[in-house]
Amino acid sequence: MDVKLDKMVTEMINTNTYNIDKVSTYEMVKIINAEDKIVAYAVEKELSAIAKAIDLITDKFKKNGRLIYCGAGTSGRLGILDAVECVPTYGVSDEMVMGIIAGGYNAIFKAQEGAEDSLDLCEIDLKKRNFNKDDVLVGITASGRTPYVIGGINYANKLGATTIGVTCNPDSEITKLTKIPIAPVVGPEVVTGSTRMKAGTAQKLVLNMLSTGAMIKLGKVYGNLMVDLKPSNIKLIERAKKIVSEATEVNYDEATDLLDLTNYNVKLAIFIKKTGLDVKAAKKMLEECDSHISNSIERFNLIKNKR
């Protein structure tokens, strides 16, 4: 695969940072900060594509599909970071959202640069995870041409799966291959070619939106509270109590009692307090409304008003 760096926006020379090695430390960070301000506006231009991607991911989740990120280097690590955080935040399994990286586990901690040049490795990695047409593959590549990612996208397309590309180079190979290309153009990097900077920040913003948006649509957020979190440590146990208190306007002790009653199921605790139902009836109604608290409360009130 030909590599023409001079054609890639992310590899161009940034004229705003020519003298960054000669200025004071304060001027240096001012320059970096000014460049970083470009990122959010670049992502804003891709909101329509991001929203479309969220709807497709949500639809696949409802059909027991999975969200899988693939990338090399910084891009791969960002995918893994986003996937790993979904487990404690939204109470999902580590199979529902996952990240794979060129070079495997060791590449998370130490660069495995040669691995990204293989067109076959990602397909092998996907087959190990039984990737199928009901899953979504998000290829993350700042350049838009990383062979590892392109190979994975080609394999996913062959299966008929949904493919999404996240890149910072418009009109790159991945934008032509994926069903939904997302390409925030952040411009040349502060340090030429160092795509862990602006490009990496843009990619993280996009991935945050994809996973968060899908989880919201699945009912894992009530208001703006994470009601499906797993209280797996002291901090999260205390957060669970705070969430129940905020959602139901009860004090700390009553929130604790509600969580004890529901075996620390935050969503169930809130719904019981909101409706007065017992645990069994509350569980049943939540299940019938796809675990959306708001929809469940609406249905409860509808039934109650008809009596």
Side-chain angles (χ1 to χ4, degrees), residues 134-150:
D134 294 323
D135 297 327
V136 178
L137 184 64
V138 178
I140 315 163
T141 161
S143 68
R145 47 74 52 200
T146 305
Y148 178 83
V149 176
I150 298 302

Side-chain angles (χ1 to χ4, degrees), residues 49-248:
I50 294 168
K52 185 178 177 184
I54 288 169
D55 285 338
L56 281 175
I57 292 167
T58 305
D59 182 60
K60 291 296 183 179
F61 277 156
K62 289 178 178 177
K63 296 172 182 174
N64 295 316
R66 298 169 295 170
L67 170 61
I68 299 181
Y69 297 122
C70 70
T74 296
S75 297
R77 294 180 194 106
L78 287 169
I80 290 168
L81 175 65
D82 195 78
V84 168
E85 289 296 335
C86 285
V87 176
T89 306
Y90 298 111
V92 300
S93 75
D94 56 10
E95 293 286 318
M96 185 173 171
V97 186
M98 64 177 77
I100 57 175
I101 185 170
Y105 182 82
N106 289 336
I108 300 171
F109 307 100
K110 187 175 180 180
Q112 310 282 319
E113 300 299 351
E116 73 172 61
D117 293 330
S118 170
L119 277 167
D120 304 317
L121 280 180
C122 192
E123 179 177 339
I124 293 168
D125 290 340
L126 289 170
K127 283 179 176 176
K128 285 178 184 175
R129 291 158 179 80
N130 299 312
F131 184 86
N132 63 78
K133 64 180 178 61
D134 294 323
D135 297 327
V136 178
L137 184 64
V138 178
I140 315 163
T141 161
S143 68
R145 47 74 52 200
T146 305
Y148 178 83
V149 176
I150 298 302
I153 293 295
N154 283 333
Y155 176 65
N157 284 337
K158 189 167 68 176
L159 294 180
T162 297
T163 54
I164 298 165
V166 181
T167 182
C168 291
N169 275 293
D171 303 318
S172 57
E173 189 167 358
I174 199 169
T175 64
K176 298 178 178 71
L177 290 174
T178 49
K179 184 174 180 114
I180 305 176
I182 301 170
V185 182
V186 298
E189 294 289 359
V190 169
V191 175
T192 306
S194 182
T195 51
R196 73 185 184 91
M197 299 184 77
K198 288 193 295 182
T201 301
Q203 289 171 329
K204 187 175 191 305
L205 290 177
V206 172
L207 301 186
N208 283 168
M209 287 187 191
L210 294 181
S211 57
T212 303
M215 295 301 165
I216 290 170
K217 293 184 77 68
L218 287 176
K220 293 182 174 297
V221 173
Y222 175 57
N224 61 359
L225 302 171
M226 54 173 85
V227 291
D228 266 338
L229 89 162
K230 283 184 176 176
S232 54
N233 60 37
I234 293 171
K235 179 188 77 174
L236 294 178
I237 288 170
E238 290 305 307
R239 182 176 290 165
K241 293 173 184 177
K242 186 173 186 297
I243 288 170
V244 173
S245 294
E246 291 280 348
T248 61

